[in-house]
Amino acid sequence: MVEKIAILDFGSQYTHLIARRMRELRVHAIVHPYNIKANEISDSKGIVLSGGPQSVYEEDAPFPDPGIFDLKVPILGICYGLQVVGKIFGGRVVSSKVREYGKMEFHVEDDPLFSGISPTTIVWMSHGDRLTELPPDFKSIGRTRNSEFAAIRSGNIYGLQFHPEVTHTAEGKKILENFLYSICEVRGDWKPSSFVDIAKEEIASKCIGGHTVLAYSGGVDSTVCSIIAKEVLGGNFTPVFVDTGFMREGEVEEIKNGSKELGLGVRVLNAKSRFLKTLEGVIDPEKKRLIIGREFASVFEEEATGLNAKYLIQGTLYPDRIESVSDVGPSHTIKTHHNVGALPEDLRLELAEPLKDFFKDEVREIARFLKIPKKFYKRHPFPGPGLAVRILGEVTEERLEVLKKVDHIYIKTLKELGLYDLIWQAFAVFIPVKTVGVMGDKRTYGNLIGLRAVDSKDGMTADWHHFKKENLNLIVRRILNEVKGVNRVVYDVSSKPPSTIEWE
């Protein structure tokens, strides 16, 4: 039997990131609702209590089944999970006067959990509450400048105020490895090929006895889904690409040619005027995403009727779901993704999402396993609503044309400089603000463009990419010289969190 770790989801944006870190460490971790009954996870080698947006002192704060502490298996509380442990066992949690968000220095004490960890290391904090009084029989095993009890322990029950699962915690993976192998004493029997097996099982179990349409975008997610669906369903599925008019310059032809190269037989639907019309006068980004998502669903339902299809496959990833809303824990909506929260409740097609628990880098790993050419899986992530959510405010044909030209120059220059594959995601944003400039001794009143480039592993956290000055200068100079109507460019130096990667 494969060993399992149970992760109880209290609504953190990072819950599934804990699971994927454990998969990287060859351990099968399963995410459960926070209130699952203890007897249902009694065969687990250990339990993790995730972070969450609530405060333990609130009236409706979520708490786990107390019976989990009677299972006598190791327990690790992370962020809100530490506060849950502190509250249940008699400690005191209060709203902190000094909130901790971002990187902090963490000073460790001698403990098996921190074996091989530097005495002072960098951790990633994201909390506004803190433990001010230890519960009886607990001791502090780590602190930061603002949190005396940033890590606590009693027997095999641990709590960490920081997030070891994010890459910005310098030695977080080692801490999780210590918890798994030293505290929980697992063997480590999870295999990379399990990713493909899970995706195949999702398709095979959902798409039974009818034709299937697949939402194809040309990106790595839908490409991987298409290759797997073709293997599982044979000729009983049709990948469909909807040209909304919100794609990048030359991208539609690239997608057509790429799908032919992969032998996928993608159907291409031209719906440009239809989508642009639905967004007339729409400014709010959430409304944009909802409108586009529902229009997508409508298009696929119409196409499915002609093909007599019953099922729809989407390449939804875990970050899409957790930013829209968690289907396990009580998380907050960050933004609605067109293929998640924007789908109508009365969708006439049954939905299959074979990649829904995976992250972008894991999907790329699947692509490599399936021997999909590098040019397909190294493409930067691109939002389903396309450039419509990279134009702040109303989407118009004029703004689309400007943004397409800017984006083309930006990405082309990154490739020429050999930077494209080194950056996790790069894109341009049209900002509906006019600024004064001077060109050729004449006053201009032109458009403002924002540039974004981030370094990340999975999209759950990200840092802005530190360009060399001369490279950034080249990109900006080309945009200003080659795109009529643009006279100012700014570069986004925000990390995620507190910002998201996309602007809308």
Side-chain angles (χ1 to χ4, degrees):
M1 180 183 292
V2 176
E3 297 173 321
K4 297 189 290 287
I5 296 292
I7 301 173
L8 307 196
D9 182 18
F10 288 89
S12 171
Q13 302 296 311
Y14 303 139
T15 299
H16 271 68
L17 196 50
I18 305 169
R20 62 80 42 78
R21 290 284 174 262
M22 292 184 172
R23 290 199 293 265
E24 291 174 356
L25 293 164
R26 305 180 308 283
V27 178
H28 186 30
I30 303 174
V31 178
H32 301 280
Y34 71 90
N35 55 357
I36 189 172
K37 296 300 182 185
N39 66 302
E40 295 181 56
I41 54 173
S42 59
D43 60 344
S44 301
K45 293 285 289 184
I47 297 172
V48 176
L49 309 180
S50 84
Q54 284 85 5
S55 296
V56 294
Y57 48 77
E58 293 175 348
E59 187 175 340
D60 58 349
F63 285 92
D65 177 357
I68 67 170
F69 298 103
D70 297 326
L71 297 177
K72 306 303 180 185
V73 298
I75 292 177
L76 174 64
I78 295 175
C79 197
Y80 180 83
L82 172 144
Q83 295 161 16
V84 164
V85 169
K87 180 75 171 175
I88 286 175
F89 285 93
R92 185 166 183 258
V93 178
V94 301
S95 177
S96 179
K97 293 180 180 178
V98 181
R99 300 185 302 171
E100 290 185 310
Y101 291 101
K103 294 179 179 179
M104 300 290 293
E105 282 192 351
F106 174 69
H107 306 280
V108 308
E109 301 291 340
D110 184 32
D111 190 273
L113 187 64
F114 300 133
S115 176
I117 304 300
S118 306
T120 299
T121 187
I122 297 299
V123 300
W124 186 267
M125 294 284 197
S126 183
H127 67 98
D129 297 338
R130 67 188 180 100
L131 184 69
T132 58
E133 292 181 16
L134 278 174
D137 300 324
F138 276 77
K139 65 178 180 178
S140 174
I141 56 173
R143 59 183 171 80
T144 67
R145 183 179 62 187
N146 299 317
S147 297
E148 183 182 356
F149 309 125
I152 62 174
R153 177 190 178 186
S154 175
N156 65 354
I157 299 176
Y158 286 84
L160 299 175
Q161 188 58 75
F162 59 89
H163 289 271
E165 69 274 23
V166 304
T167 56
H168 302 306
T169 292
E171 299 174 272
K173 192 171 181 179
K174 176 62 177 173
I175 294 172
L176 291 177
E177 182 180 0
N178 288 340
F179 176 71
L180 293 172
Y181 287 90
S182 298
I183 312 300
C184 298
E185 299 182 338
V186 300
R187 296 187 307 271
D189 50 12
W190 173 263
K191 300 176 182 179
S193 59
S194 302
F195 292 129
V196 178
D197 294 337
I198 289 173
K200 286 181 178 179
E201 175 61 27
E202 169 76 5
I203 293 173
S205 63
K206 294 282 182 71
C207 306
I208 304 171
H211 199 77
T212 299
V213 290
L214 182 145
Y216 188 79
S217 69
V220 63
D221 310 329
S222 64
T223 298
V224 164
C225 281
S226 296
I227 297 296
I228 294 175
K230 184 178 180 181
E231 182 178 340
V232 175
L233 302 175
N236 207 23
F237 98 107
T238 302
V240 178
F241 169 68
V242 180
D243 181 5
T244 62
F246 305 143
M247 305 304 288
R248 293 166 287 198
E249 189 171 300
E251 192 162 28
V252 175
E253 284 305 312
E254 286 182 20
I255 289 171
K256 288 180 182 178
N257 295 333
S259 64
K260 287 179 182 177
E261 181 181 339
L262 294 169
L264 293 175
V266 173
R267 290 171 65 94
V268 178
L269 307 179
N270 187 336
K272 294 179 185 178
S273 58
R274 175 174 177 172
F275 275 83
L276 193 58
K277 185 174 178 58
T278 63
L279 293 183
E280 286 181 2
V282 180
I283 295 174
D284 181 78
E286 271 297 287
K287 287 183 180 178
K288 281 192 211 174
R289 288 176 174 272
L290 289 169
I291 290 169
I292 291 170
R294 286 165 185 164
E295 199 63 26
F296 256 111
S298 179
V299 169
F300 278 104
E301 284 182 330
E302 293 168 14
E303 187 67 11
T305 299
L307 293 169
N308 196 29
K310 294 173 57 178
Y311 308 101
L312 170 64
I313 295 176
Q314 292 193 139
T316 308
L317 301 188
Y318 177 70
D320 301 337
R321 293 196 300 128
I322 197 62
E323 285 189 335
S324 294
V325 65
S326 172
D327 56 1
V328 180
S331 69
H332 288 183
T333 298
I334 305 301
K335 59 184 177 183
T336 300
H337 287 259
H338 83 290
N339 56 343
V340 187
L343 291 177
E345 292 184 6
D346 59 351
L347 181 69
R348 297 196 300 273
L349 295 167
E350 294 183 43
L351 191 62
E353 297 174 307
L355 308 179
K356 66 181 182 296
D357 290 325
F358 300 155
F359 292 79
K360 182 69 72 175
D361 60 309
E362 292 179 322
V363 177
R364 286 176 172 151
E365 185 178 338
I366 295 172
R368 286 190 289 270
F369 179 82
L370 297 172
K371 294 182 169 41
I372 294 172
K374 180 180 177 181
K375 66 180 180 181
F376 293 98
Y377 67 77
K378 291 297 287 185
R379 288 181 63 192
H380 287 187
F382 187 64
L387 298 180
V389 290
R390 290 179 178 173
I391 295 174
L392 309 190
E394 185 178 6
V395 179
T396 66
E397 287 192 61
E398 179 185 358
R399 291 176 173 181
L400 274 169
E401 287 307 307
V402 170
L403 186 55
K404 284 181 181 181
K405 290 175 182 176
V406 171
D407 183 87
H408 179 71
I409 293 168
Y410 186 21
I411 300 303
K412 180 183 178 183
T413 306
L414 289 179
K415 290 179 178 179
E416 290 173 355
L417 292 170
L419 297 174
Y420 183 81
D421 287 346
L422 303 179
I423 295 170
W424 196 79
Q425 186 176 12
F427 58 91
V429 178
F430 184 98
I431 304 169
V433 173
K434 295 266 189 172
T435 73
V436 175
V438 56
M439 290 182 174
D441 296 327
K442 292 183 180 179
R443 178 186 184 275
T444 62
Y445 194 51
N447 294 306
L448 173 63
I449 293 293
L451 298 181
R452 182 81 155 136
V454 298
D455 299 322
S456 181
K457 184 175 182 180
D458 44 48
M460 293 299 289
T461 61
D463 275 335
W464 58 281
H465 181 77
H466 292 247
F467 281 110
K468 290 182 179 179
K469 183 179 178 180
E470 59 269 25
N471 290 338
L472 189 57
N473 183 53
L474 175 63
I475 294 165
V476 173
R477 191 169 68 248
R478 284 185 175 179
I479 291 171
L480 293 175
N481 287 341
E482 298 177 33
V483 184
K484 187 178 180 180
V486 175
N487 70 354
R488 193 176 302 271
V489 178
V490 296
Y491 184 56
D492 185 347
V493 294
S494 309
S495 64
K496 176 186 180 180
S499 304
T500 55
I501 295 175
E502 295 281 351
W503 282 36
E504 284 197 345

